[in-house]
Amino acid sequence: MSNVERLKNRLADFNALTSAVAIMEWDQQTYMPRGGAAARAEHVGILSRMAHEMFTADETQKLLEHAKGETRDGTDEQALIRVTQREMDLRTKIPASLVEEKSKLSALAHEAWMVARANNDFAGFAPYIEKMFDIARREAEYLGYKEDIYDALLDQYEEGATSADVRKMFGDLKGPNIQLIKDIKERGKPVDDSGLYGEWDERKQREFTEKLVKTIGFDFNRGRQDTAPHPFCTGWSVGDIRLTTRFKPYVGSAIFGSLHEAGHGMYEQGSPTEWDLTPLAGGVSLGLHESQSRTWENIVGRSKAFWKRFLPDLQTTFPQLKSYDLNTWYRSINKVEPSFIRVEADEVTYNMHILVRFEIETDLLKEKLKVKNLPEAWNAKYTEYLGVTPKTDSEGCLQDVHWSGGSIGYFPTYSMGNLLSYQIWNALRKDVGDTDALIEKGEFQPILSWLQKKIYSQGRRYTPKDLVMRVTSKPMGAEDYLAGLDAKYKEIYDL
Amino acid sequence: MSNVERLKNRLADFNALTSAVAIMEWDQQTYMPRGGAAARAEHVGILSRMAHEMFTADETQKLLEHAKGETRDGTDEQALIRVTQREMDLRTKIPASLVEEKSKLSALAHEAWMVARANNDFAGFAPYIEKMFDIARREAEYLGYKEDIYDALLDQYEEGATSADVRKMFGDLKGPNIQLIKDIKERGKPVDDSGLYGEWDERKQREFTEKLVKTIGFDFNRGRQDTAPHPFCTGWSVGDIRLTTRFKPYVGSAIFGSLHEAGHGMYEQGSPTEWDLTPLAGGVSLGLHESQSRTWENIVGRSKAFWKRFLPDLQTTFPQLKSYDLNTWYRSINKVEPSFIRVEADEVTYNMHILVRFEIETDLLKEKLKVKNLPEAWNAKYTEYLGVTPKTDSEGCLQDVHWSGGSIGYFPTYSMGNLLSYQIWNALRKDVGDTDALIEKGEFQPILSWLQKKIYSQGRRYTPKDLVMRVTSKPMGAEDYLAGLDAKYKEIYDL
C-alpha cells in the first residue's frame, strides 16, 4: 500500500469520528430530549478529542510527509495533501495547553454571555472578552502572520484572506453603502411590511419551504429539512446533507432561512462523489459558502421573477396574503430598515453591521480599544454607519455569540459572502443569459448546473482566492455588489 | 490514578464510540435520506472496528487484569469488572478472522435472504444457512461450553442460560400450551376483531400512543418516540432513550408496539445515573429486557383494567370505534389465532413459534437435520404445535431475519421474556396489591416504582439468573405464565 493510500485510510477514520460528532450535534439541535444534554456533551467531547489526537498523531504527520513525495503536480492527490497540510498546521501550531485553556474559557464565557445579555450587564461579560482576546493574540502568534496579527485569525476561516483585503473591501463599500442607506431613509418611497407578521401554520410553512427548496434544486433523496432554534446546514456525506429552518411571526423567516440553508446545502450536495468522506469534499471557505447561501436567499429568493413564479402558491397556502400584488409583495420582502440586530438585517444594511464588528475586534486585538470602552465605541459606530443607536448593550455589543466562543476574525466572511454572491452571479449571467426569464418559469437547473460546474464540483481543490479568479476572472471586489444593490433598491425605493 | 480509574476512562471512550454507532443506526431507521446509506455503512463500519480494537487492545486487557486486584467483594466496581470481563471474553475468544468471515457472510446472506423470501426460493438461501451454521459451530467451540454446544451460543444473548434450561422450559410449556390453543380453537366462543382493521390517521395514532406511554411512565424529558419500519428501542444515556413505532391497518399495531418498546425504554431509563455510560448501565439480558416489554404490552396493556381507563380516550380519538363496549374491545385485542407469522402472533401462540425455531436450530447445529430438509421439518412442527401449515417457505422458514445474520441461539430469549413477565408480575402483586385497581385509575407509579427498585435500578450488577432469584425468590419457570394464560384466556373464550 502506498503512503498516499495509508494516509487516505487514516483520513477516513478521522472522517468517521468527525461525522459522528456532526450527527450528534445535528441531533442535539433538532430532536434530542432535554435529558440527553449531559451525556451528549461527554460523547462529543471524547469523540472530538479522539479525532484531534488521531489527526495530529506522529503517525499521521509522518504519512503526510511521506505521501508528499508520491504525488504529482496538478493531481487531486496533491490537492488532498495541500488541504490536509493546512488542517494539520491549524491543529498543531497552537499548543494543546492553549487549546484546552480556550475550550474551558469558552464554556464559562458562553454561560457568562447568556447571563450578561439577559441582564444587560456588560460589566459581567467584560472580563471574559478581555481573556478571550488575550488568548486570540497568543493563538495568532503561534499561527504566524506576515503583516497584521488579524491575518492569522482571519485565515483560519478564510484561507489566504488578509486584514488588508477586508479593509479594502470595506473602504470601497463604506461610502456608497452608507449613502444608499441614507437615501432610502430620507427620500425613499416608504415600504410597509406589517402584513408579513402574523400567525402562520407551522406544518404549512414546512411544506411550502420544502417545496421551494426542492424546486430550486436541493435533492431530498440526499438530504432533508428539520426544525431547529437557529437555522443551520450540516452533513456527513454528499448523499446526506441536512438543512434546518425555524418558524416565526415574520413569514419570511422560514422562507428565506430555508433558501439560505439550501444554498449551503446545494453547495455540499454538489461536491464530487469520489472525494466524499475526504478533506477535499465540501465548501472551500466560509466566504464562498456564504456567497451561495446569499445567492439563493437574496439574488434568487428576493427577486421579482422568483415571486412572479411562487406568490400564487404562497397565497394558496396562506390566503391571508391574497391582497398582495406582485410589486407590493416584492417591495415588502425587500424592506430596508436600519436596526440594531445583525441577524435580522436586510441586504442593504447587513454589511454595516459587519463593519462595526470588524473595526472593533481589530482594535481590541491590537489593544487600541479598551474592553471597558467597547459599548461606547459600538454605539458610536452604529450611529455613524446605520443611523441608529442601541438603547441597551443587550441589543448592542452583547448580541452576538461569536466572541464568547473565541471566534475572532470570523465576521468579515459574512460580508465576503455578500460581495461574492453578486460577483459570481454576474459571471453566471454572462454564460447562462436571462436568469429572470428562467426563474420566472421555475427553471433553476441551468443556474444550478453552472454553479455546480464552476464551484460546487471543485470542492476544496483550489484555494478560495484561486477559485474566485477562475470563476469570475478577477479578485473579490465591491463593484458588482454595489451596482447590484443600486439597481435593485433605487427601483424599489423610487430614487 | 488507579487502574480502575484508568479502565473507566477507557470504557468511557469505548462508550462514546458505541454511542456514535447507536445514534447513526437510530438515524438510519428514522430520518436518514436514501442517499445517505453508503456513507452510513462506511462510518458505522469504521466506528465499530475502532470500538472493537479499543476494547480488545492489550492495554485494555492489562488494565482489566490490574484493576481486578484493586476491587473489593460486593462493590459496584467488582460488578463492573465482571461485566467487562464477560464482554472481553465474548470479543476476544473468537479470532478476528472468523469475525470477519461471519461479517462478510452476513452481508451476503442478508441480501440472499431478502431475495429468497421475495421469490419463495428456499434453495437460493440454503447454502447460506449451511455456511452460517458452520460458522456458528466454530464460534461455539471458540467460546467454549460444558455440556451442550448450543449453550455457548445462547450464553451470548442470555448469560448463564443453557440448552437444558430451554428444554425444561418448553417441556413444561408445550403440553398445556398446545392444549390451550386447541381448546380455544375447538370450543372457544369466537372473537371477531375485524373492526380493528381500517384506516387510522397517523398523527392521531402518534399522539395517542405518546400519551399512553407517557401515562404509564416513559419520561419524554429523557426520551422520545419516532416512526420506523420495524419498532425498536435504543439509547445512549439514561437521559436519552428512544422508542420507535409504526402505523398499520391494524389499530393495535402502533398501540401495542409503543407499549412494548416503552417497556424496554423504561427499563433503560431506570438504570442508575451513576452507572451511565459504563458497561453496568442498562438491561441485564435479552430475556429480562423482553420480560419488561411484554409486561407493559401484554399484562398491563392488554388487560381489561387498562382499557377501562383508556377506551373512552381511544374512542374520542377514533370515533369509528365508538360501538365497542369494554368487554368486546378486550376480547378483540386478545384474539387468539394460530398463524404462520411469529411477529404477528398473539400471546398464547407466540411461544410455539419459538419452540419450532429452537428445535430446528438445535438440530441444524448438531447436524441432526440437513438444511435441505428444513422446510419439511418446519412445516411439520407448525402443523403439530399450531395446527396450521405454511403454504410457502416465504411464510414458513424464510420469515425471520435472524439466521441470515448468524443470530443462532437468540430465539429462546423471547420465550424467556414471556415466562418471566408473569413470574415477576406475581411477585410484584404480592407487594403492590390490587394492580387492576391501580391500572383502572391510571396510577402506574406504584407498579413502575416496584419494577424500578427491583429490576431497572440494578442495571447489570447481577447475572440474569441471580436477578430472577432476588426478584421472584425462585428460578425461571413456566407455572406463573401458564396459570396467567389459563385464567385470562379461559374467561375470554368462555372455556
Side-chain angles (χ1 to χ4, degrees):
Chain A
M1 210 191 289
S2 70
N3 285 304
V4 174
E5 288 304 316
R6 278 201 197 95
L7 179 67
K8 283 182 181 171
N9 285 343
R10 203 160 171 87
L11 291 173
D13 286 1
F14 172 73
N15 179 272
L17 289 168
T18 53
S19 294
V21 170
I23 192 170
M24 284 183 169
E25 287 174 341
W26 169 83
D27 178 77
Q28 181 157 14
Q29 298 300 323
T30 52
Y31 294 110
M32 192 184 79
R34 228 174 46 204
R40 184 57 48 86
E42 179 83 7
H43 286 147
V44 165
I46 290 175
L47 294 167
S48 301
R49 169 178 56 72
M50 280 185 195
H52 180 76
E53 284 174 0
M54 166 173 291
F55 194 90
T56 59
D58 287 348
E59 196 182 331
T60 319
Q61 299 201 38
K62 272 182 209 153
L63 280 175
L64 181 58
E65 282 310 314
H66 295 328
K68 280 180 191 167
E70 292 174 5
T71 61
R72 277 172 305 131
D73 278 3
T75 58
D76 288 359
E77 287 182 346
Q78 195 178 53
L80 178 73
I81 300 289
R82 183 185 68 76
V83 170
T84 307
Q85 182 64 58
R86 170 173 156 78
E87 181 75 20
M88 185 68 80
D89 290 343
L90 289 177
R91 283 182 178 264
T92 53
K93 283 186 174 175
I94 301 171
S97 59
L98 185 56
V99 172
E100 198 183 331
E101 191 182 336
K102 182 176 179 180
S103 162
K104 283 181 182 163
L105 181 63
S106 294
L108 297 171
H110 188 262
E111 198 60 31
W113 166 70
M114 287 202 295
V115 174
R117 192 176 59 159
N119 302 329
N120 189 37
D121 172 26
F122 178 77
F125 184 50
Y128 296 93
I129 304 189
E130 195 90 59
K131 284 178 200 155
M132 198 52 96
F133 274 83
D134 177 56
I135 285 179
R137 277 185 287 272
R138 286 186 280 152
E139 277 185 335
E141 295 303 333
Y142 283 117
L143 290 168
Y145 53 89
K146 284 186 188 144
E147 290 177 9
D148 192 312
I149 187 169
Y150 192 88
D151 295 353
L153 302 177
L154 176 59
D155 176 83
Q156 298 175 95
Y157 307 108
E158 193 72 21
E159 184 180 1
T162 64
S163 182
D165 295 333
V166 179
R167 283 198 305 272
K168 167 86 167 64
M169 167 175 86
F170 283 121
D172 294 343
L173 263 184
K174 198 169 167 175
N177 206 153
I178 291 175
Q179 189 59 48
L180 181 57
I181 294 169
K182 218 171 152 219
D183 289 349
I184 289 171
K185 198 173 176 181
E186 291 172 1
R187 302 188 289 111
K189 186 181 153 197
V191 169
D192 174 12
D193 68 349
S194 58
L196 277 60
Y197 293 81
E199 289 198 14
W200 318 94
D201 181 76
E202 281 201 13
R203 194 170 52 81
K204 286 184 182 172
Q205 287 192 76
R206 183 173 303 119
E207 283 168 10
F208 183 77
T209 55
E210 282 191 14
K211 198 177 130 192
L212 269 194
V213 302
K214 191 175 174 180
T215 306
I216 64 172
F218 180 79
D219 181 356
F220 276 88
N221 289 322
R222 299 187 294 125
R224 49 179 293 122
Q225 177 177 272
D226 298 276
T227 311
H230 302 281
F232 64 97
C233 169
T234 184
W236 25 88
S237 89
V238 70
D240 193 355
I241 302 298
R242 312 260 172 125
L243 317 178
T244 64
T245 192
R246 64 176 164 185
F247 307 108
K248 293 255 180 178
Y250 175 56
V251 72
S253 183
I255 292 171
F256 299 109
S258 288
L259 290 170
H260 181 100
E261 299 309 329
H264 287 304
M266 292 189 294
Y267 193 165
E268 295 288 325
Q269 285 187 335
S271 188
T273 310
E274 63 271 26
W275 293 348
D276 203 24
L277 315 185
T278 80
L280 274 186
V284 72
S285 72
L286 290 182
L288 261 300
H289 234 306
E290 192 72 3
S291 79
Q292 294 313 295
S293 57
R294 297 297 259 178
T295 294
W296 293 99
E297 176 195 356
N298 287 333
I299 301 182
V300 176
R302 281 190 168 92
S303 69
K304 201 182 279 182
F306 190 78
W307 290 103
K308 198 163 177 182
R309 174 78 182 78
F310 290 109
L311 185 58
D313 288 353
L314 181 66
Q315 289 173 328
T316 306
T317 307
F318 295 115
Q320 55 267 59
L321 294 172
K322 280 246 157 92
S323 63
Y324 278 90
D325 61 32
L326 176 61
N327 205 48
T328 312
W329 173 258
Y330 172 63
R331 298 186 77 231
S332 297
I333 59 170
N334 285 294
K335 183 177 181 177
V336 175
E337 188 169 45
S339 78
F340 317 119
I341 307 298
R342 176 183 59 85
V343 295
E344 291 167 7
D346 56 80
E347 207 185 355
V348 176
T349 58
Y350 196 94
N351 289 324
M352 294 302 101
H353 291 267
I354 302 302
L355 176 56
V356 171
R357 286 152 179 80
F358 168 66
E359 291 183 346
I360 284 182
E361 68 182 11
T362 297
D363 287 351
L364 285 172
L365 189 71
K366 297 180 179 178
E367 300 180 88
K368 289 182 186 167
L369 175 67
K370 285 188 174 138
V371 169
K372 69 172 181 185
N373 298 327
L374 201 170
E376 197 187 329
W378 183 284
N379 293 354
K381 285 180 197 292
Y382 261 81
T383 311
E384 184 185 349
Y385 303 157
L386 286 143
V388 294
T389 315
K391 290 180 294 293
T392 66
D393 292 334
S394 293
E395 63 181 26
C397 64
L398 286 173
Q399 73 184 261
D400 295 303
V401 70
H402 299 62
W403 290 337
S404 75
S407 296
I408 295 158
Y410 185 113
F411 282 119
T413 66
Y414 291 119
S415 288
M416 291 179 185
N418 289 335
L419 266 59
L420 287 169
S421 68
Y422 278 86
Q423 185 168 328
I424 292 167
W425 189 256
N426 283 348
L428 178 149
R429 285 206 296 190
K430 275 183 204 147
D431 293 344
V432 172
D434 187 350
T435 48
D436 278 348
L438 291 168
I439 293 170
E440 261 181 51
K441 284 186 283 181
E443 290 178 12
F444 297 96
Q445 198 51 48
I447 296 169
L448 181 57
S449 293
W450 189 93
L451 292 167
Q452 273 176 335
K453 186 178 158 207
K454 297 282 183 176
I455 303 176
Y456 308 170
S457 67
Q458 304 306 319
R460 301 177 65 189
R461 184 205 298 258
Y462 306 111
T463 65
K465 284 186 169 179
D466 281 356
L467 187 63
V468 170
M469 278 302 288
R470 283 175 168 268
V471 174
T472 71
S473 309
K474 59 183 179 187
M476 182 188 75
E479 55 183 10
D480 296 81
Y481 177 72
L482 285 169
L485 287 198
D486 247 39
K488 179 173 178 179
Y489 289 92
K490 286 191 169 159
E491 190 232 318
I492 289 174
Y493 278 91
D494 201 12
L495 293 168
Chain B
M1 210 190 290
S2 70
N3 285 304
V4 174
E5 288 305 315
R6 277 201 198 97
L7 179 66
K8 282 182 181 171
N9 284 344
R10 201 157 172 89
L11 292 173
D13 287 1
F14 173 73
N15 179 271
L17 289 167
T18 54
S19 294
V21 170
I23 192 169
M24 284 182 168
E25 287 174 341
W26 169 83
D27 179 76
Q28 180 156 14
Q29 298 300 323
T30 52
Y31 294 110
M32 192 184 79
R34 228 174 47 204
R40 183 57 49 86
E42 180 83 7
H43 286 147
V44 165
I46 290 175
L47 294 168
S48 301
R49 169 178 57 70
M50 279 185 197
H52 180 78
E53 285 173 359
M54 166 174 290
F55 194 90
T56 59
D58 287 348
E59 196 182 329
T60 319
Q61 300 202 39
K62 272 182 209 153
L63 281 175
L64 181 57
E65 283 311 315
H66 296 328
K68 280 179 191 167
E70 292 174 4
T71 60
R72 277 172 305 130
D73 279 3
T75 58
D76 288 0
E77 287 181 346
Q78 194 179 54
L80 179 73
I81 300 290
R82 183 185 68 75
V83 170
T84 307
Q85 182 63 59
R86 171 173 155 78
E87 181 75 20
M88 185 67 79
D89 289 344
L90 289 177
R91 283 183 177 264
T92 53
K93 283 187 174 175
I94 302 170
S97 60
L98 186 56
V99 173
E100 198 183 331
E101 190 182 337
K102 182 176 179 179
S103 162
K104 282 181 182 163
L105 180 63
S106 293
L108 297 171
H110 188 263
E111 199 60 32
W113 166 71
M114 286 202 296
V115 174
R117 193 176 58 158
N119 303 327
N120 190 36
D121 172 26
F122 178 77
F125 184 50
Y128 296 93
I129 304 190
E130 196 91 59
K131 284 177 201 154
M132 199 52 95
F133 274 83
D134 178 56
I135 285 179
R137 276 184 288 273
R138 285 187 280 152
E139 277 185 334
E141 295 303 333
Y142 283 117
L143 290 167
Y145 53 89
K146 283 186 189 145
E147 289 177 10
D148 192 311
I149 187 169
Y150 192 86
D151 296 352
L153 302 178
L154 176 59
D155 177 81
Q156 297 175 96
Y157 307 108
E158 193 71 21
E159 184 181 1
T162 64
S163 183
D165 295 333
V166 179
R167 282 198 305 272
K168 167 86 168 65
M169 167 174 85
F170 282 121
D172 293 343
L173 263 184
K174 197 170 168 175
N177 206 153
I178 292 174
Q179 188 59 48
L180 181 59
I181 295 170
K182 218 172 151 215
D183 288 349
I184 289 171
K185 197 173 178 182
E186 289 172 2
R187 301 189 290 113
K189 187 180 154 196
V191 169
D192 174 12
D193 69 348
S194 58
L196 277 60
Y197 293 81
E199 289 198 12
W200 317 94
D201 181 77
E202 281 201 13
R203 195 168 52 81
K204 285 184 181 172
Q205 287 192 77
R206 185 174 302 120
E207 284 167 10
F208 183 77
T209 55
E210 283 191 14
K211 198 176 129 191
L212 269 194
V213 303
K214 190 175 174 181
T215 307
I216 63 172
F218 180 79
D219 181 356
F220 276 88
N221 289 322
R222 299 188 293 126
R224 48 179 294 122
Q225 176 176 275
D226 298 278
T227 311
H230 301 280
F232 63 96
C233 170
T234 184
W236 26 87
S237 89
V238 70
D240 193 354
I241 302 297
R242 312 263 172 123
L243 317 177
T244 64
T245 193
R246 64 176 165 185
F247 307 109
K248 294 256 180 178
Y250 175 56
V251 71
S253 183
I255 292 171
F256 299 110
S258 288
L259 290 170
H260 181 101
E261 299 309 329
H264 287 304
M266 292 190 294
Y267 193 166
E268 295 287 326
Q269 286 187 334
S271 188
T273 310
E274 63 271 27
W275 294 347
D276 203 24
L277 314 185
T278 80
L280 274 186
V284 72
S285 72
L286 290 183
L288 261 300
H289 234 305
E290 191 72 4
S291 79
Q292 294 313 296
S293 57
R294 296 298 259 179
T295 294
W296 293 99
E297 176 195 356
N298 288 331
I299 301 182
V300 176
R302 281 191 168 92
S303 69
K304 200 181 279 182
F306 190 79
W307 290 103
K308 198 162 178 181
R309 173 79 182 76
F310 290 109
L311 185 58
D313 289 353
L314 182 65
Q315 289 173 327
T316 305
T317 307
F318 295 116
Q320 56 267 57
L321 294 171
K322 279 248 158 88
S323 64
Y324 279 89
D325 61 30
L326 176 61
N327 204 50
T328 312
W329 173 257
Y330 172 63
R331 297 186 77 230
S332 297
I333 59 169
N334 284 294
K335 183 178 181 176
V336 175
E337 189 169 43
S339 78
F340 316 121
I341 308 299
R342 177 183 59 84
V343 296
E344 291 167 6
D346 57 78
E347 207 185 352
V348 175
T349 58
Y350 195 93
N351 289 323
M352 295 302 101
H353 291 267
I354 301 303
L355 175 56
V356 171
R357 287 153 178 81
F358 168 66
E359 290 183 346
I360 284 182
E361 68 182 10
T362 297
D363 287 351
L364 286 171
L365 190 70
K366 297 181 179 177
E367 300 181 89
K368 288 181 186 167
L369 174 67
K370 286 188 174 140
V371 169
K372 69 170 182 187
N373 297 327
L374 201 170
E376 197 187 328
W378 183 283
N379 292 355
K381 284 180 198 292
Y382 261 81
T383 310
E384 184 185 348
Y385 304 156
L386 286 144
V388 294
T389 315
K391 290 180 294 295
T392 66
D393 291 334
S394 294
E395 63 181 25
C397 64
L398 286 173
Q399 73 185 262
D400 295 304
V401 70
H402 300 60
W403 291 337
S404 75
S407 296
I408 295 158
Y410 185 112
F411 283 119
T413 66
Y414 291 120
S415 288
M416 291 179 185
N418 289 334
L419 266 60
L420 287 170
S421 68
Y422 277 86
Q423 184 168 329
I424 292 167
W425 190 255
N426 283 348
L428 178 149
R429 284 206 297 190
K430 275 183 204 147
D431 293 344
V432 172
D434 187 349
T435 48
D436 278 348
L438 291 169
I439 293 171
E440 261 181 52
K441 284 185 283 181
E443 291 178 12
F444 296 97
Q445 197 51 45
I447 296 169
L448 181 58
S449 293
W450 189 93
L451 291 167
Q452 273 176 334
K453 185 178 159 207
K454 297 281 183 176
I455 303 177
Y456 308 168
S457 68
Q458 303 307 319
R460 300 177 67 190
R461 184 205 298 259
Y462 305 111
T463 65
K465 284 186 169 178
D466 280 357
L467 186 63
V468 170
M469 277 302 287
R470 283 175 169 268
V471 174
T472 70
S473 309
K474 59 184 180 187
M476 182 188 75
E479 54 183 11
D480 296 81
Y481 177 71
L482 285 169
L485 286 199
D486 247 40
K488 179 173 179 181
Y489 288 92
K490 286 192 169 159
E491 190 232 318
I492 289 173
Y493 277 93
D494 202 11
L495 291 168

